[in-house]
PDB file of all heavy atoms in Angstrom:
ATOM      1  N   GLY A 150      59.534-142.428-100.306  1.00 97.00           N
ATOM      2  CA  GLY A 150      58.690-143.609-100.137  1.00 97.00           C
ATOM      3  C   GLY A 150      57.490-143.349 -99.265  1.00 97.00           C
ATOM      4  O   GLY A 150      56.365-143.780 -99.571  1.00 97.00           O
ATOM      5  N   LEU A 151      57.686-142.593 -98.192  1.00 97.00           N
ATOM      6  CA  LEU A 151      56.568-142.244 -97.312  1.00 97.00           C
ATOM      7  C   LEU A 151      55.571-141.354 -98.018  1.00 97.00           C
ATOM      8  O   LEU A 151      54.350-141.487 -97.837  1.00 97.00           O
ATOM      9  CB  LEU A 151      57.106-141.535 -96.062  1.00 97.00           C
ATOM     10  CG  LEU A 151      56.067-141.129 -94.999  1.00 97.00           C
ATOM     11  CD1 LEU A 151      55.307-142.335 -94.500  1.00 97.00           C
ATOM     12  CD2 LEU A 151      56.756-140.404 -93.843  1.00 97.00           C
ATOM     13  N   GLY A 152      56.049-140.419 -98.861  1.00 96.00           N
ATOM     14  CA  GLY A 152      55.162-139.548 -99.612  1.00 96.00           C
ATOM     15  C   GLY A 152      54.269-140.322-100.579  1.00 96.00           C
ATOM     16  O   GLY A 152      53.070-140.050-100.662  1.00 96.00           O
ATOM     17  N   ILE A 153      54.858-141.276-101.291  1.00 96.00           N
ATOM     18  CA  ILE A 153      54.065-142.104-102.220  1.00 96.00           C
ATOM     19  C   ILE A 153      53.051-142.913-101.455  1.00 96.00           C
ATOM     20  O   ILE A 153      51.874-143.039-101.862  1.00 96.00           O
ATOM     21  CB  ILE A 153      55.019-143.016-103.032  1.00 96.00           C
ATOM     22  CG1 ILE A 153      55.891-142.158-103.966  1.00 96.00           C
ATOM     23  CG2 ILE A 153      54.207-144.021-103.854  1.00 96.00           C
ATOM     24  CD1 ILE A 153      57.011-142.934-104.622  1.00 96.00           C
ATOM     25  N   ALA A 154      53.472-143.483-100.332  1.00 96.00           N
ATOM     26  CA  ALA A 154      52.540-144.288 -99.501  1.00 96.00           C
ATOM     27  C   ALA A 154      51.436-143.413 -98.936  1.00 96.00           C
ATOM     28  O   ALA A 154      50.281-143.868 -98.829  1.00 96.00           O
ATOM     29  CB  ALA A 154      53.309-144.967 -98.359  1.00 96.00           C
ATOM     30  N   TRP A 155      51.748-142.152 -98.617  1.00 96.00           N
ATOM     31  CA  TRP A 155      50.743-141.255 -98.037  1.00 96.00           C
ATOM     32  C   TRP A 155      49.667-140.918 -99.047  1.00 96.00           C
ATOM     33  O   TRP A 155      48.500-140.862 -98.717  1.00 96.00           O
ATOM     34  CB  TRP A 155      51.433-139.989 -97.514  1.00 96.00           C
ATOM     35  CG  TRP A 155      50.699-139.334 -96.398  1.00 96.00           C
ATOM     36  CD1 TRP A 155      50.027-138.145 -96.426  1.00 96.00           C
ATOM     37  CD2 TRP A 155      50.548-139.824 -95.060  1.00 96.00           C
ATOM     38  NE1 TRP A 155      49.467-137.861 -95.206  1.00 96.00           N
ATOM     39  CE2 TRP A 155      49.781-138.862 -94.346  1.00 96.00           C
ATOM     40  CE3 TRP A 155      50.985-140.964 -94.411  1.00 96.00           C
ATOM     41  CZ2 TRP A 155      49.454-139.049 -93.006  1.00 96.00           C
ATOM     42  CZ3 TRP A 155      50.657-141.127 -93.073  1.00 96.00           C
ATOM     43  CH2 TRP A 155      49.886-140.178 -92.386  1.00 96.00           C
ATOM     44  N   VAL A 156      50.062-140.691-100.317  1.00 94.00           N
ATOM     45  CA  VAL A 156      49.073-140.420-101.367  1.00 94.00           C
ATOM     46  C   VAL A 156      48.229-141.665-101.631  1.00 94.00           C
ATOM     47  O   VAL A 156      47.026-141.572-101.845  1.00 94.00           O
ATOM     48  CB  VAL A 156      49.771-139.943-102.651  1.00 94.00           C
ATOM     49  CG1 VAL A 156      48.769-139.806-103.803  1.00 94.00           C
ATOM     50  CG2 VAL A 156      50.464-138.592-102.404  1.00 94.00           C
ATOM     51  N   TRP A 157      48.853-142.828-101.602  1.00 94.00           N
ATOM     52  CA  TRP A 157      48.119-144.088-101.771  1.00 94.00           C
ATOM     53  C   TRP A 157      47.085-144.223-100.662  1.00 94.00           C
ATOM     54  O   TRP A 157      45.940-144.615-100.914  1.00 94.00           O
ATOM     55  CB  TRP A 157      49.103-145.259-101.714  1.00 94.00           C
ATOM     56  CG  TRP A 157      48.457-146.618-101.803  1.00 94.00           C
ATOM     57  CD1 TRP A 157      48.131-147.290-102.931  1.00 94.00           C
ATOM     58  CD2 TRP A 157      48.036-147.448-100.709  1.00 94.00           C
ATOM     59  NE1 TRP A 157      47.555-148.503-102.616  1.00 94.00           N
ATOM     60  CE2 TRP A 157      47.475-148.611-101.242  1.00 94.00           C
ATOM     61  CE3 TRP A 157      48.106-147.300 -99.320  1.00 94.00           C
ATOM     62  CZ2 TRP A 157      46.979-149.642-100.452  1.00 94.00           C
ATOM     63  CZ3 TRP A 157      47.603-148.332 -98.537  1.00 94.00           C
ATOM     64  CH2 TRP A 157      47.045-149.474 -99.104  1.00 94.00           C
ATOM     65  N   LEU A 158      47.452-143.870 -99.444  1.00 95.00           N
ATOM     66  CA  LEU A 158      46.512-143.943 -98.320  1.00 95.00           C
ATOM     67  C   LEU A 158      45.394-142.934 -98.480  1.00 95.00           C
ATOM     68  O   LEU A 158      44.227-143.244 -98.199  1.00 95.00           O
ATOM     69  CB  LEU A 158      47.276-143.697 -97.004  1.00 95.00           C
ATOM     70  CG  LEU A 158      46.468-143.733 -95.724  1.00 95.00           C
ATOM     71  CD1 LEU A 158      45.795-145.081 -95.536  1.00 95.00           C
ATOM     72  CD2 LEU A 158      47.357-143.415 -94.524  1.00 95.00           C
ATOM     73  N   MET A 159      45.717-141.730 -98.925  1.00 93.00           N
ATOM     74  CA  MET A 159      44.692-140.693 -99.109  1.00 93.00           C
ATOM     75  C   MET A 159      43.662-141.118-100.156  1.00 93.00           C
ATOM     76  O   MET A 159      42.480-140.822-100.004  1.00 93.00           O
ATOM     77  CB  MET A 159      45.333-139.373 -99.516  1.00 93.00           C
ATOM     78  CG  MET A 159      46.056-138.669 -98.358  1.00 93.00           C
ATOM     79  SD  MET A 159      46.427-136.931 -98.728  1.00 93.00           S
ATOM     80  CE  MET A 159      47.604-137.114-100.065  1.00 93.00           C
ATOM     81  N   ALA A 160      44.129-141.790-101.196  1.00 90.00           N
ATOM     82  CA  ALA A 160      43.194-142.255-102.227  1.00 90.00           C
ATOM     83  C   ALA A 160      42.183-143.239-101.666  1.00 90.00           C
ATOM     84  O   ALA A 160      41.045-143.325-102.149  1.00 90.00           O
ATOM     85  CB  ALA A 160      43.992-142.903-103.377  1.00 90.00           C
ATOM     86  N   ARG A 161      42.572-143.969-100.643  1.00 92.00           N
ATOM     87  CA  ARG A 161      41.665-144.948-100.026  1.00 92.00           C
ATOM     88  C   ARG A 161      40.854-144.341 -98.879  1.00 92.00           C
ATOM     89  O   ARG A 161      39.971-145.012 -98.349  1.00 92.00           O
ATOM     90  CB  ARG A 161      42.473-146.144 -99.542  1.00 92.00           C
ATOM     91  CG  ARG A 161      42.762-147.129-100.679  1.00 92.00           C
ATOM     92  CD  ARG A 161      44.143-147.744-100.638  1.00 92.00           C
ATOM     93  NE  ARG A 161      44.377-148.471-101.875  1.00 92.00           N
ATOM     94  CZ  ARG A 161      44.779-147.888-103.010  1.00 92.00           C
ATOM     95  NH1 ARG A 161      44.991-146.583-103.046  1.00 92.00           N
ATOM     96  NH2 ARG A 161      44.973-148.596-104.102  1.00 92.00           N
TER      97      ARG A 161
END
Side-chain angles (χ1 to χ4, degrees):
L151 181 59
I153 293 171
W155 207 249
V156 174
W157 177 86
L158 179 60
M159 286 195 294
R161 278 141 189 83

